[in-house]
């Protein structure tokens, strides 16, 4: 079993992330498919329809006429069509669902020390958090956006700090004000290690994610080149479903890593895992502990 609340150096956090995902692939994977899959599927379908409509609009000779003042407005109307907002909304919901499912699984795993966690148990943890998580995510986006308006650097700093927010929310049940304060306290003196972990895991996830993005790019190219039949909307929807569902589920790797950073920071400041190990003396063997955060 993997001890969650344990001090880990940079490399150990990456190793623990992949060990956790592999060890819990069945229970975590099934939960993601049941909870996240349907939401990501709707986002993929809406995105495919929107992309198909835009391609048909660009194929219209009237929109290629530079003297037509309405061409740009028709294009903008398609970009911000109801389908666009449906795709955006469900993409946001899918991302939040991945985060909540991942942290709920980690929370139950830490509580039960069991890899056989049911979807019902995870959903029972996720359901009460959905509204709060959406509000926190939207407020985070506003705060980070304001930060990027001030020479980018404040936005990057705040984005890294608030990357812990939903982990705090799920593990501690905190509201936004408490969550925000907690994030700044936890990340004190460990901003760079958090930034480095997010950067490295983000690159890994992005590289693997190209496998899911490839069908969409190929289908869009073939459709634009008139090499696919007139039912191209079906192909575009299929490509976008593969892309969005695959990349959304793949984000579990990144959020698991952030979850381990959260437990690492909590352990460094509060020794939660150490106290648990002391309490369990005589009932279960203590886990070896790492103490070096490394140079990151």
């Amino acid at each position: 079993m993997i001890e969650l609340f344990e001090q880990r150096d940079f490399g150990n956090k990456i190793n623990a992330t992949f060990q956790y995902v592999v060890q819990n692939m069945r229970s975590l994977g099934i939960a993601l498919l049941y909870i996240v899959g349907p939401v990501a599927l709707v986002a993929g379908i809406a995105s495919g329809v929107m992309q198909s409509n835009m391609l048909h609009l660009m194929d219209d000779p009237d929109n290629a006429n530079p003297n037509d003042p309405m061409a740009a407005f028709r294009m903008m109307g398609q970009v911000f069509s109801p389908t666009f907002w449906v795709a955006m909304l469900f993409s946001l919901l899918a991302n939040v669902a991945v985060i909540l499912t991942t942290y709920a699984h980690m929370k139950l795993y830490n509580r039960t020390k069991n890899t056989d966690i049911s979807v019902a148990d995870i959903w029972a943890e996720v359901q009460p958090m959905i509204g709060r998580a959406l509000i926190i995510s939207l407020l985070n986006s506003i705060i980070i956006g304001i930060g990027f308006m001030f020479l980018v650097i404040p936005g990057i700093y705040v984005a890294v700090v608030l990357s812990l927010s939903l982990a705090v929310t799920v593990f501690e049940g905190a509201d936004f004000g408490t969550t925000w304060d907690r994030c700044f306290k936890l990340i004190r003196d460990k901003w760079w290690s958090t930034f480095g972990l997010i950067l490295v895991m983000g690159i890994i996830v992005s590289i693997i994610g190209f496998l899911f993005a490839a069908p969409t790019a190929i289908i869009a190219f073939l459709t634009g080149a008139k090499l696919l039949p007139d039912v191209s909307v079906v192909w575009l929807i299929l490509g976008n479903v593969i892309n969005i569902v695959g990349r959304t589920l793949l984000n579990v790797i990144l959020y698991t890593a952030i979850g381990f950073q959260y437990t690492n920071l909590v352990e460094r400041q509060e020794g939660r895992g150490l106290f648990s190990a002391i309490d369990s003396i005589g009932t279960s063997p203590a886990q070896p502990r790492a103490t070096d955060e490394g140079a990151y």
Side-chain angles (χ1 to χ4, degrees):
M1 300 298 292
I2 301 172
E3 183 63 43
L4 263 62
F5 287 90
E6 178 177 310
Q7 295 184 35
R8 290 180 168 89
D9 62 21
F10 189 82
N12 283 338
K13 281 178 281 192
I14 295 177
N15 291 335
T17 296
F18 286 104
Q19 288 173 8
Y20 185 90
V21 171
V22 171
Q23 182 185 94
N24 297 277
M25 184 175 294
R26 183 179 180 277
S27 61
L28 183 55
I30 292 175
L32 289 169
L33 286 175
Y34 274 92
I35 297 173
V36 183
V39 184
L41 181 63
V42 174
I45 293 173
S47 178
V49 171
M50 182 186 70
Q51 187 175 359
S52 174
N53 291 340
M54 290 185 66
L55 287 174
H56 284 305
L57 197 62
M58 288 187 291
D59 287 341
D60 189 339
D62 292 336
N63 294 313
N65 183 2
N67 297 320
D68 184 1
M70 299 302 296
F73 289 101
R74 284 195 293 269
M75 186 64 69
M76 290 296 294
Q78 187 58 54
V79 170
F80 296 105
S81 65
T83 309
F84 168 82
W85 295 113
V86 170
M88 291 294 293
L89 173 62
F90 278 86
S91 294
L92 172 63
L93 290 173
N95 190 59
V96 171
V98 170
I99 299 173
L100 293 180
T101 301
T102 302
Y103 295 152
H105 189 282
M106 295 179 75
K107 181 179 180 180
L108 291 169
Y109 177 92
N110 182 66
R111 181 192 302 165
T112 63
K113 307 299 181 185
N114 185 7
T115 59
D116 189 18
I117 302 171
S118 69
V119 176
D121 289 338
I122 295 174
W123 177 243
E125 290 285 339
V126 168
Q127 192 175 9
M129 296 287 179
I130 295 175
R132 187 185 308 171
L134 284 171
I135 293 173
I136 289 175
S137 297
L138 290 173
L139 291 174
N140 284 352
S141 299
I142 294 171
I143 293 170
I144 292 169
I146 294 173
F148 272 102
M149 292 173 61
F150 295 94
L151 303 177
V152 178
I153 294 178
I156 296 174
Y157 178 82
V158 174
V160 172
V161 174
L162 296 183
S163 67
L164 302 173
S165 60
L166 292 186
V168 172
T169 300
V170 172
F171 277 91
E172 304 179 16
D175 57 22
F176 179 72
T178 305
T179 296
W180 197 21
D181 182 63
R182 179 74 164 151
C183 289
F184 278 94
K185 288 181 178 178
L186 284 175
I187 211 168
R188 185 175 60 247
D189 300 327
K190 296 299 178 183
W191 187 91
W192 282 108
S193 65
T194 307
F195 172 75
L197 182 66
I198 293 173
L199 180 63
V200 171
M201 297 306 292
I203 291 173
I204 293 173
V205 169
S206 297
I207 292 173
I208 302 174
F210 281 128
L211 297 175
F212 296 106
T216 302
I218 293 171
I219 291 171
F221 171 78
L222 293 176
T223 302
K226 307 297 184 182
L227 297 177
L228 286 179
D230 292 337
V231 291
S232 57
V233 62
V234 176
W235 296 100
L236 288 170
I237 289 175
L238 178 62
N240 277 275
V241 166
I242 294 172
N243 182 23
I244 292 179
V245 173
R247 291 169 71 94
T248 299
L249 298 180
L250 187 63
N251 283 334
V252 69
I253 298 174
L254 173 61
Y255 298 127
T256 301
I258 295 174
F260 274 108
Q261 177 66 346
Y262 162 78
T263 57
N264 168 65
L265 296 175
V266 169
E267 179 64 14
R268 288 181 176 276
Q269 295 189 17
E270 301 174 1
R272 187 180 301 181
L274 177 60
F275 289 132
S276 176
I278 292 173
D279 291 339
S280 66
I281 290 176
T283 60
S284 63
Q287 297 291 327
R289 308 182 60 76
T291 57
D292 182 19
E293 174 71 8
Y296 293 88

Coordinates of all heavy atoms in Angstrom, one line a residue, residues 196-225:
G196 N 7.5 23.1 -10.4 CA 8.3 22.1 -11.1 C 7.5 20.9 -11.3 O 7.6 20.3 -12.4
L197 N 6.8 20.4 -10.3 CA 6.0 19.2 -10.4 C 4.9 19.3 -11.5 O 4.7 18.4 -12.3 CB 5.5 18.8 -9.1 CG 4.7 17.5 -9.0 CD1 5.6 16.3 -9.3 CD2 4.0 17.3 -7.7
I198 N 4.2 20.4 -11.4 CA 3.1 20.7 -12.4 C 3.7 20.8 -13.8 O 3.1 20.3 -14.7 CB 2.4 22.0 -12.0 CG1 1.6 21.8 -10.7 CG2 1.4 22.4 -13.1 CD1 1.0 23.0 -10.1
L199 N 4.8 21.5 -13.9 CA 5.4 21.6 -15.2 C 5.8 20.3 -15.8 O 5.5 20.0 -17.0 CB 6.6 22.6 -15.1 CG 7.4 22.8 -16.5 CD1 6.5 23.6 -17.4 CD2 8.7 23.6 -16.2
V200 N 6.5 19.5 -15.1 CA 7.0 18.2 -15.6 C 5.8 17.3 -15.9 O 5.8 16.7 -17.0 CB 8.0 17.5 -14.6 CG1 8.3 16.1 -15.0 CG2 9.2 18.3 -14.4
M201 N 4.9 17.2 -14.9 CA 3.7 16.3 -15.2 C 2.9 16.8 -16.3 O 2.3 16.0 -17.1 CB 2.9 16.1 -13.9 CG 3.7 15.5 -12.8 SD 4.5 13.9 -13.2 CE 3.0 12.9 -13.4
G202 N 2.7 18.1 -16.4 CA 2.0 18.7 -17.5 C 2.6 18.4 -18.9 O 1.9 18.1 -19.8
I203 N 3.9 18.4 -19.0 CA 4.6 18.1 -20.2 C 4.4 16.6 -20.5 O 4.1 16.2 -21.7 CB 6.1 18.4 -20.1 CG1 6.3 19.9 -20.0 CG2 6.9 17.8 -21.3 CD1 7.8 20.3 -19.8
I204 N 4.5 15.7 -19.5 CA 4.2 14.3 -19.8 C 2.8 14.0 -20.3 O 2.6 13.3 -21.2 CB 4.5 13.5 -18.5 CG1 6.0 13.6 -18.1 CG2 4.1 12.0 -18.6 CD1 6.4 12.9 -16.8
V205 N 1.9 14.6 -19.6 CA 0.5 14.4 -20.0 C 0.2 15.0 -21.4 O -0.5 14.4 -22.2 CB -0.5 15.1 -19.0 CG1 -1.9 15.2 -19.5 CG2 -0.4 14.4 -17.6
S206 N 0.8 16.2 -21.7 CA 0.6 16.8 -23.0 C 1.2 15.9 -24.1 O 0.6 15.7 -25.2 CB 1.3 18.1 -23.1 OG 0.7 19.0 -22.2
I207 N 2.4 15.3 -23.9 CA 3.0 14.4 -24.9 C 2.1 13.2 -25.2 O 1.9 12.9 -26.3 CB 4.4 14.0 -24.5 CG1 5.3 15.3 -24.5 CG2 5.0 12.9 -25.4 CD1 6.7 15.0 -23.9
I208 N 1.7 12.6 -24.1 CA 0.8 11.4 -24.3 C -0.5 11.8 -24.9 O -1.1 11.1 -25.7 CB 0.5 10.7 -22.9 CG1 1.8 10.3 -22.3 CG2 -0.4 9.5 -23.1 CD1 1.7 9.7 -20.9
G209 N -1.0 13.0 -24.6 CA -2.3 13.5 -25.1 C -2.3 13.7 -26.6 O -3.4 13.7 -27.2
F210 N -1.1 13.9 -27.2 CA -1.0 14.0 -28.7 C -1.6 12.8 -29.4 O -2.1 12.9 -30.5 CB 0.4 14.3 -29.1 CG 0.9 15.7 -28.9 CD1 2.0 16.0 -28.3 CD2 0.1 16.8 -29.4 CE1 2.5 17.3 -28.1 CE2 0.5 18.1 -29.2 CZ 1.7 18.3 -28.6
L211 N -1.6 11.6 -28.7 CA -2.1 10.4 -29.3 C -3.6 10.6 -29.5 O -4.2 10.0 -30.5 CB -1.8 9.2 -28.4 CG -0.3 8.9 -28.2 CD1 -0.1 7.7 -27.2 CD2 0.3 8.5 -29.6
F212 N -4.3 11.2 -28.5 CA -5.7 11.4 -28.6 C -6.1 12.6 -29.6 O -7.2 12.6 -30.1 CB -6.3 11.7 -27.2 CG -6.1 10.5 -26.3 CD1 -5.2 10.6 -25.3 CD2 -6.9 9.4 -26.4 CE1 -5.1 9.5 -24.4 CE2 -6.8 8.3 -25.5 CZ -5.9 8.4 -24.5
A213 N -5.2 13.5 -29.7 CA -5.5 14.7 -30.6 C -5.3 14.4 -32.0 O -5.8 15.0 -32.9 CB -4.6 15.9 -30.2
A214 N -4.4 13.3 -32.3 CA -4.1 13.0 -33.7 C -5.3 12.7 -34.6 O -5.4 13.2 -35.7 CB -3.1 11.8 -33.7
P215 N -6.3 11.9 -34.1 CA -7.5 11.6 -35.0 C -8.2 12.9 -35.4 O -8.7 13.0 -36.5 CB -8.3 10.7 -34.1 CG -7.4 10.1 -33.1 CD -6.3 11.1 -32.9
T216 N -8.4 13.8 -34.4 CA -9.1 15.1 -34.7 C -8.4 15.9 -35.8 O -9.0 16.4 -36.8 CB -9.2 16.0 -33.5 OG1 -9.9 15.2 -32.5 CG2 -10.0 17.2 -33.8
A217 N -7.0 16.0 -35.7 CA -6.2 16.7 -36.7 C -6.3 16.0 -38.1 O -6.5 16.7 -39.1 CB -4.8 16.8 -36.2
I218 N -6.2 14.7 -38.1 CA -6.3 14.0 -39.4 C -7.7 14.1 -40.0 O -7.8 14.4 -41.2 CB -5.9 12.5 -39.1 CG1 -4.5 12.3 -38.7 CG2 -6.2 11.7 -40.4 CD1 -4.1 10.9 -38.2
I219 N -8.7 14.0 -39.2 CA -10.1 14.1 -39.7 C -10.3 15.5 -40.3 O -10.9 15.7 -41.3 CB -11.1 13.7 -38.7 CG1 -11.0 12.2 -38.4 CG2 -12.5 14.0 -39.1 CD1 -11.8 11.7 -37.2
A220 N -9.9 16.5 -39.5 CA -10.1 17.9 -40.0 C -9.4 18.1 -41.3 O -9.9 18.8 -42.2 CB -9.6 18.9 -38.9
F221 N -8.2 17.6 -41.4 CA -7.4 17.8 -42.7 C -8.1 17.1 -43.8 O -8.3 17.7 -44.9 CB -6.0 17.2 -42.5 CG -5.2 17.2 -43.8 CD1 -4.6 18.3 -44.3 CD2 -5.1 16.0 -44.5 CE1 -3.9 18.3 -45.5 CE2 -4.4 15.9 -45.7 CZ -3.8 17.1 -46.2
L222 N -8.5 15.8 -43.6 CA -9.2 15.1 -44.7 C -10.5 15.7 -45.1 O -10.9 15.7 -46.3 CB -9.4 13.6 -44.3 CG -8.1 12.8 -44.1 CD1 -8.5 11.4 -43.5 CD2 -7.3 12.7 -45.4
T223 N -11.2 16.2 -44.1 CA -12.5 16.9 -44.4 C -12.3 18.2 -45.2 O -13.0 18.4 -46.2 CB -13.2 17.2 -43.1 OG1 -13.5 16.0 -42.3 CG2 -14.6 17.9 -43.4
G224 N -11.3 19.0 -44.8 CA -11.0 20.2 -45.5 C -10.5 19.9 -46.9 O -10.7 20.7 -47.8
A225 N -9.8 18.8 -47.1 CA -9.3 18.4 -48.4 C -10.4 17.7 -49.3 O -10.1 17.2 -50.4 CB -8.1 17.6 -48.3

